[in-house]
Amino acid sequence: MRLTADIWVSAYLTRLRLLEIPAFVVQRGDSTAGAVLIKLNTLDGQACCYQRSFDLMTGERKWMVLVAGNEADVDASIAKQRGFDPDLWVIEVEDRHGRHLLDEPGLD
């Protein structure tokens, strides 16, 4: 059984907050089934956007890079995705060390 999007987002934000990693909901999506994008802003003009994907080789869901590079380019890509999917959640994580916690157990 999968968690609803709003419960997953709440748990994710709590994990980040416990490690004092700032994160913000930039766009609130559908509370039950909205997809989630995570933008990692390293506060140096660079950013990376992650999306959860299904790995056909293993049958597992995992976080993969959607786009990375100049923050303005990443923001443009996210805006394009939002145009396709109005139910999309966008979370922005700000960490100079590049920590996003997406590789932690329970966040796949």
Side-chain angles (χ1 to χ4, degrees):
M1 184 165 146
R2 294 239 179 258
L3 295 175
T4 61
D6 60 344
I7 291 174
W8 186 92
V9 167
S10 179
Y12 180 58
L13 293 175
T14 298
R15 282 191 183 192
L16 291 165
R17 188 171 38 256
L18 290 172
L19 292 176
E20 299 180 356
I21 301 171
F24 312 92
V25 176
V26 175
Q27 164 131 2
R28 184 172 179 75
D30 182 88
S31 62
T32 57
V36 180
L37 293 181
I38 306 295
K39 175 188 169 191
L40 175 61
N41 182 350
T42 52
L43 304 172
D44 61 357
Q46 299 296 300
C48 185
C49 181
Y50 296 88
Q51 68 178 356
R52 204 169 6 181
S53 297
F54 186 75
D55 185 337
L56 295 174
M57 299 300 287
T58 64
E60 297 177 3
R61 292 173 60 103
K62 60 188 211 178
W63 290 94
M64 305 190 64
V65 174
L66 174 66
V67 62
N70 181 291
E71 185 180 6
D73 295 338
V74 172
D75 286 340
S77 180
I78 291 171
K80 189 175 181 181
Q81 293 295 320
R82 288 171 61 180
F84 296 139
D85 185 358
D87 295 331
L88 185 68
W89 288 77
V90 179
I91 310 301
E92 181 163 347
V93 177
E94 295 181 344
D95 188 67
R96 292 185 193 283
H97 304 291
R99 298 175 297 167
H100 51 65
L101 308 183
L102 296 173
D103 49 1
E104 296 285 320
L107 288 176
D108 47 0

